[in-house]
Structure formats: structure tokens, C-alpha cells
């Protein structure tokens, strides 16, 4: 989230948004081929366990489920400001269909990076390539980690930066991080 008090600080709203994502459609729109990206939005397939796959809302492409989480949220209709590529229109359309007031812009990459690195900018969601798709060493300076604000996650990410790639310790860190991401839906 970009700043305190924004609607996306509500975990049920984030779950509703996550349920609006159709990863297969986004991958196809982005690359024209489903084989260009792995199946997990958050971790490398080699260590991707069932945690995220079992979360009913991640990439669910389920508008009824999105409505259920939206009803459980404290969302008051405030417009969500989203930055991303033009393919984001797929998600924004689904968000609007369930009752989320969303607007998006498609700035150039340099502008998006500048906004992402400045939490004082006025945005709610930035849709970019996800650094979590690489299993490590994790970039502890990544914007997504800085804006999450979970101390345990920050500790795990710092540890990932010190662990040998695909070691038992690094896989254990990823698994715990996956669980935190499912509980809190930070991305």
C-alpha cells in the first residue's frame, strides 16, 4: 500500500482484488503465450508448495468470491489508484464489476519505478514484474518488501539474502514467507 489509511490496507479488500486476477489471461495478454511464465505469481515453481495454490483467492478469476471478500471489507467506495501496463485493464474491469472503484494509468517504466520508490506518491497498487519470482538471494531493497510493513517478513527477506539458493534454510524461509503472503495478501 502507498500510505496509511488507504483502502488497500484492508486485508479483505486485498483478497477481493486478488480474486479478480486471471493470471492466465494476463500472461497471455502480456506474452501471447502461456508458456512464457511459470504458474506461480509469487515464487519459483521448484520450491512453490501448496500454500499459495490452496489460497482460494489468489488468481481465482472468481467474481463471486471477490464480492464475498468485498462485503467483508470496510471498503467505502474510495477510488483506488493503480499504475501498471495496459494489460491491467483486464483486472480493473473485473474489479469494477464487483463494485471496486478503480482507475488506472499506464506510465512509462521509469515513472512507475519512481512512484514505487516514493511512498508519499498517491497510488494504491502498482502492477509490475514481481521480484518474488526469483527465489533468491532476495533483494531486500525491493519496493514491494519496503511497502509491506511486516517485521517478520522483513526478517525472512533479510535471511533469504544470506542463504544459499535452494538450500533447506532458503526453502524454509520461502515457505514461511508464502504463508505470510497468503494471510496478509500484501501483493
Amino acid at each position: 500500500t502507498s500510505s496509511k489509511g488507504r483502502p488497500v490496507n484492508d486485508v479483505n479488500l486485498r483478497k477481493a482484488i486478488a480474486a479478480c486476477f486471471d493470471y492466465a489471461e494476463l500472461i497471455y495478454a502480456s506474452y501471447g503465450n502461456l508458456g512464457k511464465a511459470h504458474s506461480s505469481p509469487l515464487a519459483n515453481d521448484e520450491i512453490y508448495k501448496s500454500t499459495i495454490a490452496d489460497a482460494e483467492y489468489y488468481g481465482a478469476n472468481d467474481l463471486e468470491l471477490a464480492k464475498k471478500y468485498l462485503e467483508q471489507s470496510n471498503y467505502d467506495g474510495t477510488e483506488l489508484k493503480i499504475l501498471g501496463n495496459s494489460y491491467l485493464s483486464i483486472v480493473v474491469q473485473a474489479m469494477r464489476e464487483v463494485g471496486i472503484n478503480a482507475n488506472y494509468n499506464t506510465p512509462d517504466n521509469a515513472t512507475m519505478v519512481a512512484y514505487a520508490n516514493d511512498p508519499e506518491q498517491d497510488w494504491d497498487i502498482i502492477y509490475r514484474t514481481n521480484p518474488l519470482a526469483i527465489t533468491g538471494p532476495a533483494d531486500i531493497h525491493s519496493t514491494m518488501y519496503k511497502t509491506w510493513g511486516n517485521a517478520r517478513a522483513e526478517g525472512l527477506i533479510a535471511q533469504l539474502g544470506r542463504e544459499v539458493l535452494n538450500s533447506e534454510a532458503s526453502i524454509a524461509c520461502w515457505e514461511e514467507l508464502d504463508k505470510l503472503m497468503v494471510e496478509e495478501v500484501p501483493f
Side-chain angles (χ1 to χ4, degrees):
T1 61
S2 61
S3 59
K4 294 178 181 168
R6 296 296 297 180
V8 290
N9 288 325
D10 185 310
V11 70
N12 285 314
L13 176 59
R14 295 195 304 270
K15 288 179 182 179
I17 293 167
C20 289
F21 272 76
D22 181 343
Y23 287 114
E25 187 174 2
L26 282 170
I27 291 167
Y28 189 80
S30 299
Y31 301 106
N33 181 338
L34 290 178
K36 297 249 182 178
H38 55 73
S39 61
S40 167
L42 298 174
N44 184 291
D45 284 341
E46 291 179 17
I47 64 164
Y48 173 59
K49 304 297 182 189
S50 62
T51 310
I52 294 168
D54 289 345
E56 66 178 353
Y57 43 82
Y58 265 114
N61 188 27
D62 184 336
L63 300 187
E64 290 306 312
L65 183 62
K67 287 177 186 175
K68 178 185 103 173
Y69 281 109
L70 185 60
E71 288 171 5
Q72 294 174 13
S73 76
N74 293 317
Y75 179 62
D76 63 1
T78 300
E79 180 183 73
L80 301 186
K81 296 175 183 176
I82 305 170
L83 302 177
N85 63 35
S86 61
Y87 308 121
L88 193 58
S89 62
I90 295 166
V91 178
V92 171
Q93 178 182 342
M95 290 169 65
R96 289 175 180 162
E97 286 180 33
V98 301
I100 299 170
N101 181 10
N103 189 18
Y104 74 100
N105 288 307
T106 57
D108 60 77
N109 193 54
T111 301
M112 210 159 29
V113 169
Y115 265 61
N117 287 314
D118 184 356
E120 298 304 313
Q121 292 292 337
D122 189 21
W123 55 269
D124 293 294
I125 299 169
I126 293 183
Y127 178 74
R128 307 173 52 202
T129 301
N130 190 340
L132 291 176
I134 300 170
T135 58
D139 176 6
I140 61 171
H141 301 293
S142 164
T143 299
M144 292 191 339
Y145 299 134
K146 289 191 295 188
T147 58
W148 184 359
N150 179 300
R152 178 60 186 150
E154 289 171 13
L156 289 166
I157 290 155
Q159 184 178 347
L160 275 169
R162 297 186 300 269
E163 298 295 344
V164 173
L165 181 63
N166 288 329
S167 66
E168 285 186 31
S170 72
I171 291 171
C173 283
W174 274 108
E175 289 174 341
E176 187 175 346
L177 193 57
D178 282 352
K179 288 177 185 172
L180 284 172
M181 288 188 285
V182 166
E183 290 169 9
E184 299 187 11
V185 201
F187 310 131

